[in-house]
């Protein structure tokens, strides 16, 4: 094998958030910014995404990253997200300014993906996820991670119930040709049958794969081992932990 499979997987992961087809409609974005009294220069427009809510008529989830701090280098910045639900015209139904600060520097913020899976976490409460994808800049020490937060509508705002849970990651160390060790983890959230404080427990299934690559007689050979493990997130003090 001339090329390391892990590197290919990392490149696919790197761009998955950017190629998810969740670009925001320009007219809706203009109306949203007008309502929020935000200038386009104060947001990261290339990171704005939206997705139609599958279970609610005329409703779109939108992510608007607002710049808190910007260095001369465009990729170094700190942002906070407006998480919104709007109608087709961009009129805001639910508005939440997430207090979590997202830093983009040596490990760069590359995009967001909105997950509208069947997260029925309590009676008549269906949550949605927002995954932030980060990618490292080192070739020798490749790294990327995806962190999931979850929200649900409450009145005219949103309730945040999961904060930046690492849902997947890939990291390693190699000589940029073949020899090296790589660790890849992907997690899946499963709604459990049990509850805590009237909220469904979230069972997290994680598959961890370790790949050892060595050059043998001019060929790059990989040896993989995998493990599967579980953990349960319970709803305590207003959030899953």
């Amino acid at each position: 094998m001339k090329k390391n499979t892990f590197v290919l997987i990392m490149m696919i992961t790197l761009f998955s958030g950017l190629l998810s087809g969740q670009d925001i409609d320009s007219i809706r974005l203009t109306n949203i910014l007008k309502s929020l009294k935000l200038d386009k220069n104060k947001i990261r427009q290339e990171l704005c995404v939206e997705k139609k809510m599958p279970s609610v008529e005329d409703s779109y989830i939108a992510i608007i990253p607002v710049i808190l701090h910007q260095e001369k280098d465009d990729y170094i910045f700190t942002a906070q997200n407006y998480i919104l639900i709007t109608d087709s015209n961009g009129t805001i139904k639910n508005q939440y300014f997430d207090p979590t600060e997202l830093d983009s520097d040596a490990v760069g913020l590359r995009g967001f993906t909105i997950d509208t899976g069947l997260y029925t976490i309590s009676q008549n409460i269906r949550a949605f996820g927002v995954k932030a994808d980060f990618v490292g800049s080192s070739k020798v020490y490749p790294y990327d991670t995806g962190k999931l937060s979850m929200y649900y509508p409450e009145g005219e705002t949103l309730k945040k119930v999961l904060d930046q849970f690492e849902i997947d990651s890939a990291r390693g160390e190699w000589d940029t040709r073949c020899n090296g060790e790589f660790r890849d983890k992907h997690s899946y959230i499963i709604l459990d049958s049990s509850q805590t404080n009237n909220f469904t427990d979230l069972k997290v299934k994680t598959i961890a794969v370790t790949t050892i690559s060595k050059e043998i007689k001019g060929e790059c050979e990989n040896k993989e081992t995998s493990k599967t493990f579980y953990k349960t997130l319970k709803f305590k003090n207003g959030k899953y932990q």
Side-chain angles (χ1 to χ4, degrees), residues 61-77:
I61 301 165
I63 313 300
I64 311 295
V66 179
I67 300 171
L68 300 181
H69 176 73
Q70 175 73 64
E71 295 285 345
K72 291 182 179 180
D73 294 321
D74 187 60
Y75 67 91
I76 301 178
F77 62 89

Side-chain angles (χ1 to χ4, degrees), residues 32-49:
I32 288 170
L33 296 183
K34 184 177 180 180
S35 296
L36 296 176
K37 298 180 180 179
L38 283 174
D39 188 278
K40 284 188 177 181
N41 294 325
K42 298 297 183 181
I43 67 169
R44 298 294 297 203
Q45 189 169 349
E46 76 279 8
L47 297 179
C48 294
V49 295

Side-chain angles (χ1 to χ4, degrees), residues 172-217:
E173 178 180 356
W174 70 318
D175 60 7
T176 73
R177 296 184 302 277
C178 173
N179 299 289
E181 181 174 341
F182 310 96
R183 295 168 299 281
D184 187 15
K185 291 183 181 180
H186 292 282
S187 297
Y188 306 88
I189 292 179
I190 303 166
L191 297 179
D192 207 348
S193 58
S194 60
Q195 290 190 336
T196 302
N197 297 318
N198 296 318
F199 279 78
T200 301
D201 294 340
L202 303 180
K203 181 180 289 186
V204 182
K205 176 182 179 180
T206 300
I207 300 173
V209 178
T210 299
T211 304
I212 305 295
S213 296
K214 291 183 179 180
E215 186 174 352
I216 300 174
K217 297 180 179 180

Side-chain angles (χ1 to χ4, degrees), residues 51-53 56-61 85-88 93:
K51 187 175 183 181
K52 177 74 172 63
M53 295 184 74
V56 185
E57 185 178 353
D58 193 28
S59 294
Y60 296 79
I61 301 165
I85 298 177
T86 78
D87 65 14
S88 58
K93 298 180 178 182

Side-chain angles (χ1 to χ4, degrees), residues 6-7 10 136 138-144 170-174 182:
F6 176 87
V7 178
M10 287 199 66
S138 173
K139 293 182 179 180
V140 176
Y141 304 99
Y143 172 80
D144 74 69
R171 65 196 73 196
E173 178 180 356
W174 70 318
F182 310 96

Side-chain angles (χ1 to χ4, degrees), residues 124-136:
N124 299 321
I125 294 178
R126 178 172 172 174
F128 62 88
V130 176
K131 185 163 76 78
D133 293 306
F134 298 85
V135 179

